[in-house]
Amino acid sequence: MPSIALYYPWMHFQDDNWLKLALLTWDRIVRMRPEMVEDRDRDLVRQLRTETDFIVEAAPSPTVLRTVTETFSEIIDADPHRIVERYGLRHSFREEFHPSPHDLRQSTDWLGYEPPVPQGTWDMVRSSYMLRMHTGASGSKMGTGLSEKLVGMGLAEPSGGPWVGMHPKLGSIYLAVLTDVMARGEMLSPTTDDLRMHKAVGALSQLTNLLFEDHARVPAIEHAESAYMHVALRTVIEPDKLAEVPVAKLIRFREAHRDELAAFHEHVAGLTADLQAIAEVENLEVASAHLKSLYESQTRPQLNELRKALRAQGIESSAGTLVQKVNLNAAAGTLLGSVAAAGGQLAVAGAAVAVTLVPYIASRVEARRQQVGDSPVAYLLAADRELSGRTLLGALQRRTGR
């Protein structure tokens, strides 16, 4: 799977906790935001932009825009009356499109969706919220030719500067197709923090159905591989715990465990056949259940085996604390083993014990490092121990019932 994501449909991230999870999932994440657009990023996004290379700003290429324009134009020209009747702005939006702004924000129905600022505009005449599309200028999401065509047909209208307003469902479909084409051309994986969005994967090939069928087939999961990684991470890091983790700590964790993340990506890639089948499921609850079952059968056993192997090494690391469990049988033949066999009179051995103990512990640390390095799920173990908030003291208290 590609290790770089393409964020859509908006120019600004909507969910900080989702972005934290994305930081632990992807090498980088690309978003389409023209430089001239007002910067409405929150503090978390600004910190990531300043301190990391995680967020990449990129515009759709002329080839991408041309492909989307040609496809939309072909479908529109084939039956202009039908598409104008369905999405034309000179007609009133359908009667059912009159919920309150609060209801619009909570709705999962794209016929009455309120895009976030600055990509939405409230039309008081129609009592409807329209999607604003940045077009015509450098880095825009829609080419001038298509935007002029839509305006001329009454499918869009000027909305100040390089913006046009569109029916929210038509705009959302356009953004899904744009994302699909750009992701294919640039080897990116579409991802979104807005579950109401039309899914981008495959949107180009099913554009006609998306435009004209009220019940076009849309899989519940956008990208099964990334969804699986999120399930795995949420299993070892509870969502409320992740919200409490400072972003500076996440950045340090990300830099320290790049190799483990790459290995985990390879592990997930090995589940492609199962994940492709899950990606066809249209019910979100059922798809989520399949992902959890796959995790329990394919990934959790390996994580448990890694923990078991580390315990067998006689030395563990938990929440940044080194826990030394010296196995005297394993130490037999060393000065440490001899002292232990003689009754544990460490003071008699003095500095000699320390000289022997240090290499013994070091050998165990090296064995642990090798064990972790060979495991494809070491990344999850690291996340569990460094980001979950579970400390060694807490674990001991849970075991003793205190």
Side-chain angles (χ1 to χ4, degrees):
M1 60 183 263
S3 58
I4 301 179
L6 174 60
Y7 174 76
Y8 79 101
W10 314 120
M11 298 181 180
H12 297 88
F13 300 101
Q14 304 298 302
D15 185 329
D16 281 357
N17 212 38
W18 178 91
L19 187 57
K20 283 185 173 182
L21 195 59
L23 181 66
L24 299 177
T25 304
W26 303 101
D27 287 344
R28 291 175 178 79
I29 189 166
V30 175
R31 66 167 173 176
M32 296 177 272
R33 185 177 70 88
E35 295 181 359
M36 64 183 64
V37 172
E38 180 182 0
D39 185 350
R40 294 178 179 268
D41 282 337
R42 292 188 291 274
D43 291 341
L44 169 61
V45 181
R46 290 197 174 101
Q47 184 173 357
L48 291 178
R49 287 166 50 192
T50 301
E51 300 179 16
T52 75
D53 59 357
F54 180 61
I55 298 175
V56 179
E57 313 278 1
S61 69
T63 300
V64 168
L65 291 179
R66 182 167 58 252
T67 299
V68 178
T69 295
E70 291 174 352
T71 305
F72 261 86
S73 296
E74 181 180 347
I75 295 175
I76 290 172
D77 293 342
D79 197 345
H81 176 75
R82 186 182 181 191
I83 198 166
V84 169
E85 183 179 23
R86 193 175 183 88
Y87 302 110
L89 299 182
R90 294 184 183 130
H91 304 284
S92 297
F93 282 18
R94 297 177 181 179
E95 292 299 323
E96 64 264 30
F97 302 168
H98 300 290
S100 69
H102 173 76
D103 291 337
L104 287 171
R105 280 189 291 270
Q106 303 302 317
S107 174
T108 58
D109 183 354
W110 267 96
L111 299 180
Y113 175 66
E114 179 182 6
V117 176
Q119 291 203 196
T121 179
W122 185 260
D123 189 311
M124 300 305 296
V125 175
R126 302 181 184 88
S127 297
S128 298
Y129 209 84
M130 292 194 299
L131 187 151
R132 297 170 73 229
M133 189 76 64
H134 197 272
T135 178
S138 174
S140 293
K141 294 186 176 183
M142 180 181 287
T144 302
L146 182 58
S147 65
E148 291 177 348
K149 183 183 188 70
L150 296 179
V151 170
M153 296 180 64
L155 294 168
E157 62 184 29
S159 185
W163 300 86
V164 294
M166 305 172 61
H167 189 295
K169 185 177 182 182
L170 178 61
S172 75
I173 293 172
Y174 175 85
L175 290 173
V177 172
L178 175 68
T179 302
D180 188 25
V181 175
M182 183 169 175
R184 293 185 190 188
E186 306 293 344
M187 296 189 300
L188 304 171
S189 295
T191 187
T192 181
D193 55 3
D194 193 332
L195 297 179
R196 297 168 294 187
M197 180 60 193
H198 282 297
K199 301 299 184 291
V201 174
L204 180 67
S205 61
Q206 60 174 330
L207 177 54
T208 300
N209 288 337
L210 289 174
L211 287 172
F212 297 119
E213 299 294 333
D214 290 329
H215 302 289
R217 187 183 185 285
V218 179
I221 296 175
E222 176 68 81
H223 194 271
E225 287 86 351
S226 62
Y228 184 80
M229 294 186 71
H230 284 195
V231 166
L233 284 166
R234 285 194 177 104
T235 300
V236 298
I237 314 173
E238 298 175 8
D240 59 336
K241 295 295 184 183
L242 182 60
E244 298 170 1
V245 179
V247 67
K249 184 173 183 178
L250 291 177
I251 292 173
R252 290 195 299 271
F253 177 86
R254 166 186 164 82
E255 292 303 315
H257 297 283
R258 282 184 180 270
D259 292 342
E260 289 96 330
L261 176 57
F264 188 53
H265 273 285
E266 290 296 324
H267 167 70
V268 176
L271 305 174
T272 297
D274 292 312
L275 291 172
Q276 285 178 342
I278 296 173
E280 297 299 317
V281 175
E282 294 186 64
N283 183 288
L284 180 59
E285 289 73 20
V286 173
S288 297
H290 281 303
L291 288 173
K292 291 176 183 176
S293 295
L294 186 62
Y295 171 81
E296 290 168 0
S297 65
Q298 298 297 322
T299 301
R300 176 178 282 171
Q302 294 195 50
L303 184 57
N304 290 339
E305 283 298 316
L306 178 59
R307 289 191 175 111
K308 181 179 178 180
L310 293 181
R311 286 195 295 269
Q313 293 290 347
I315 189 165
E316 296 184 24
S317 175
S318 179
T321 302
L322 188 66
V323 185
Q324 298 175 9
K325 297 181 178 179
V326 178
N327 185 325
L328 295 181
N329 289 326
T334 67
L335 176 59
L336 175 61
S338 300
V339 171
Q345 301 297 318
L346 297 181
V348 175
V353 172
V355 171
T356 304
L357 178 60
V358 170
Y360 174 78
I361 295 297
S363 70
R364 290 302 181 185
V365 170
E366 175 59 25
R368 175 189 179 277
R369 186 195 65 77
Q370 186 65 42
Q371 189 79 43
V372 170
D374 292 341
S375 173
V377 297
Y379 186 68
L380 294 181
L381 181 69
D384 181 24
R385 293 183 168 184
E386 298 181 35
L387 301 177
S388 68
R390 289 185 285 269
T391 63
L392 177 61
L393 177 60
L396 292 175
Q397 289 175 336
R398 287 193 293 274
R399 290 177 184 175
T400 57
R402 295 179 181 178

